[in-house]
Amino acid sequence: MIDTEVPKKNKSSFEKLVKVIRQRNYKKATEYTYLRYNLDFLLFADKPAEKVVTKDIEKYIEYLRKKKVSSSTIQINISSLKMFFEEVLDMNVFEDFRRPAREYKTPKVLNQKEISLLLETASESPRSHLLCALAYYAGLRVGEIIRLKWGQFDLSKKSIKVDSPIPTQNRTVLMDGELQKILKKFEKEVGTEKSSYLFPGKYQGTHLTSRNVERLVGDLAKYAGIKAQVTLFTLRHSRAIHQLAEGKSLEDIREFLGHKSLATTESYLPIRKNLRPQVRQKHIQDALKEIKKKYKY
């Protein structure tokens, strides 16, 4: 629960929000976000929730922008407020509200030299080496990596059966030769048991947390002398771009990454959004040419 006191004039409406959220059995982090963002807004508006109008929400969004709050955080704020006012209080304050367009930033791509530096730095620890290799060579997401069990590897077929947190993203990924070497080195050090996690957590039956893994990768990048902020997604994204530079099609990359839609894969390219289909296709082709020129071996 949040530690800031709810203003007396909003206690009743806020209690309704808490009740609805608890009934929906949200994760603790989601519950905290919805309550925190709604309370922040109510403190800003300084009036009973029942008297809030569209103008109050517009002023609040402008306030967040001036504070340099990220586009994605503003979108979550709006979703939280919509849930409160529309679903809990049954108010139409969003009827004339124009939601700001989401801003997309093309993720950072590491070049081949930076990838080599990072993997070389990580190689001092078989565990760190394998974590980075699974993100880069297999294109796995952080949630997929930390949940990996030894039983998901088929060394005879040189493949990994990826059980994603999102069922539609389940897939089988073929292992790169370099990844196989790194896996075997790790296997020699820790041994294998089909039902056990590759990366066990602090307590029995648990796995490493995504937060710990991301911190580890960020530290490795600093040790390797890479100035950009690096996450496991940076490695996954870099691998996709490097494959495009090698001539792989967008459809091949879509299957490799486990994207349900080709549009998701296309969003990895540095192109403007909301273009007419014909113009968009030209932008995609131009982006692919630039990628081949910049990242091909």
Side-chain angles (χ1 to χ4, degrees), residues 34-216:
Y34 273 64
L35 296 177
R36 176 78 264 166
Y37 287 173
N38 274 293
L39 180 55
D40 286 347
F41 168 73
L42 292 172
L43 291 169
F44 172 85
D46 193 25
K47 61 167 69 171
E50 293 78 6
K51 293 189 177 180
V52 164
V53 294
T54 306
K55 199 75 180 168
D56 295 317
I57 293 170
E58 290 171 344
K59 283 179 183 176
Y60 184 61
I61 299 307
E62 187 57 34
Y63 162 74
L64 293 179
R65 279 178 171 159
K66 286 179 180 176
K67 281 184 67 181
K68 309 289 185 190
V69 171
S70 71
S71 170
S72 58
T73 300
I74 287 175
Q75 294 294 332
I76 298 168
N77 264 276
I78 293 170
S79 296
S80 302
L81 294 173
K82 271 178 74 70
M83 185 260 198
F84 180 37
F85 287 100
E86 291 186 347
E87 299 178 42
V88 178
L89 300 182
D90 196 25
M91 292 171 61
N92 292 326
V93 291
F94 280 90
E95 193 172 12
D96 297 320
F97 176 79
R98 292 188 65 182
R99 191 176 192 129
R102 184 186 291 271
E103 294 171 12
Y104 292 90
K105 289 184 180 177
T106 305
K108 165 73 179 172
V109 181
L110 300 184
N111 59 37
Q112 299 289 352
K113 185 179 177 183
E114 289 170 323
I115 289 290
S116 297
L117 278 170
L118 180 63
L119 289 171
E120 188 181 333
T121 303
S123 67
E124 293 179 17
S125 158
R127 185 184 72 163
S128 300
H129 204 192
L130 183 57
L131 279 167
C132 293
L134 285 164
Y136 182 69
Y137 291 117
L140 302 191
R141 301 172 176 89
V142 62
E144 295 167 345
I145 291 172
I146 61 177
R147 289 175 177 82
L148 275 175
K149 293 185 176 181
W150 284 104
Q152 292 172 241
F153 290 83
D154 188 331
L155 296 180
S156 63
K157 293 182 180 177
K158 301 174 182 176
S159 65
I160 311 169
K161 185 185 176 187
V162 182
D163 292 330
S164 176
I166 302 171
T168 56
Q169 294 170 349
N170 290 346
R171 63 200 183 282
T172 297
V173 176
L174 293 176
M175 282 196 284
D176 179 280
E178 192 61 32
L179 175 55
Q180 290 176 59
K181 287 182 202 172
I182 296 168
L183 178 66
K184 283 175 183 174
K185 185 179 175 184
F186 182 70
E187 185 184 355
K188 279 181 187 175
E189 179 170 293
V190 303
T192 64
E193 187 182 318
K194 280 196 171 184
S195 62
S196 63
Y197 289 113
L198 258 72
F199 308 109
K202 188 175 179 181
Y203 303 104
Q204 190 173 3
T206 64
H207 52 68
L208 279 181
T209 66
S210 57
R211 183 178 293 180
N212 285 337
V213 172
E214 294 290 20
R215 189 183 296 124
L216 170 67

Side-chain angles (χ1 to χ4, degrees), residues 16 18-26:
K16 289 179 186 175
V18 172
K19 186 178 178 181
V20 170
I21 287 175
R22 296 273 163 82
Q23 285 172 343
R24 295 185 183 185
N25 200 26
Y26 287 138

